[in-house]
Amino acid sequence: VGTMQEAGLFVTFAEIAGVFVGFGALIAVRSGGAADEREVVYIRTVLSFGVWVIVAALAPVTLGAYDIGEREVWLVSGLVALVGLAGVFAVNRQTPEMQDYWAGRAEWRTSTSRRQFVLEYAVDALLLVAILAALVLVVLGLFPEQEPALYLTAVVLGLLFAALQLLLLVYAHRGPTTTSAEAEQPLE
């Protein structure tokens, strides 16, 4: 990594992503499990993208400690990030909830308003395409002076993606339900 400031930024982003992973795991454990498929998908996405951001953010910091050129740091970091991203998609795609979703069998997919569905996935697609584009540009080395900025952009967008999924998880999460008999009980 070129400067200590860049290294500090990457470490900070890894720490923030670690907090997202912690919150996602806490929500999953604290609530006694997800209430529906959508929550499972959001939890898995928050956790997997949070871990991806941690790995992607720490790759150039770790590689920068070795006696290799700056181009090699960004090339290897970009490859690690791309392979990690492919791994996240491959693993998540194999889950029953995602298979049901993409096959159109997910109950929540049909119950979500069309407008919400289109907006959510348009934003997701935009962020993911931008992440991929930035990483591909880093790996190809077409803009050598911009590699640190492009890589930083990919990590920041990954963090934004994880944050958006956490926000969607919180909005999708239904709190504990009470029966009408429990609601009528006086507080002691």
Side-chain angles (χ1 to χ4, degrees), residues 123-185:
V123 170
D124 288 353
L126 181 65
L127 287 171
L128 294 172
V129 166
I131 291 167
L132 284 170
L135 292 173
V136 167
L137 289 173
V138 168
V139 169
L140 294 177
L142 299 176
F143 304 100
E145 315 81 39
Q146 297 301 318
E147 287 173 353
L150 288 166
Y151 193 85
L152 180 65
T153 299
V155 171
V156 168
L157 291 175
L159 189 61
L160 180 60
F161 185 82
L164 177 62
Q165 299 306 306
L166 183 60
L167 180 66
L168 291 170
L169 169 63
V170 169
Y171 279 112
H173 182 70
R174 293 186 294 264
T177 58
T178 58
T179 64
S180 58
E182 290 173 333
E184 293 175 7
Q185 293 292 324

Side-chain angles (χ1 to χ4, degrees), residues 5-147:
Q5 183 179 5
E6 285 175 348
L9 277 174
F10 284 122
V11 169
T12 299
F13 293 140
E15 291 170 341
I16 294 168
V19 170
F20 289 167
V21 170
F23 278 137
L26 182 62
I27 290 169
V29 172
R30 180 82 171 122
S31 65
D36 64 18
E37 290 177 324
R38 179 161 64 181
E39 289 183 29
V40 172
V41 169
Y42 289 142
I43 288 169
R44 286 188 178 142
T45 305
V46 168
L47 295 177
S48 59
F49 261 86
V51 170
W52 178 83
V53 169
I54 293 168
V55 170
L58 294 179
V61 174
T62 303
L63 292 169
Y66 291 92
D67 189 22
I68 59 176
E70 190 170 342
R71 170 68 190 132
E72 289 75 21
V73 167
W74 297 118
L75 172 64
V76 174
S77 296
L79 289 171
V80 166
L82 283 172
V83 168
L85 197 57
V88 164
F89 282 108
V91 169
N92 284 341
R93 180 73 171 103
Q94 297 306 312
T95 65
E97 298 81 16
M98 288 305 279
Q99 288 177 357
D100 286 348
Y101 172 78
W102 290 112
R105 294 185 304 256
E107 192 175 300
W108 60 271
R109 180 178 177 188
T110 57
S111 66
T112 302
S113 77
R114 182 164 177 78
R115 181 176 180 222
Q116 178 185 347
F117 175 81
V118 169
L119 179 62
E120 182 179 325
Y121 288 93
V123 170
D124 288 353
L126 181 65
L127 287 171
L128 294 172
V129 166
I131 291 167
L132 284 170
L135 292 173
V136 167
L137 289 173
V138 168
V139 169
L140 294 177
L142 299 176
F143 304 100
E145 315 81 39
Q146 297 301 318
E147 287 173 353

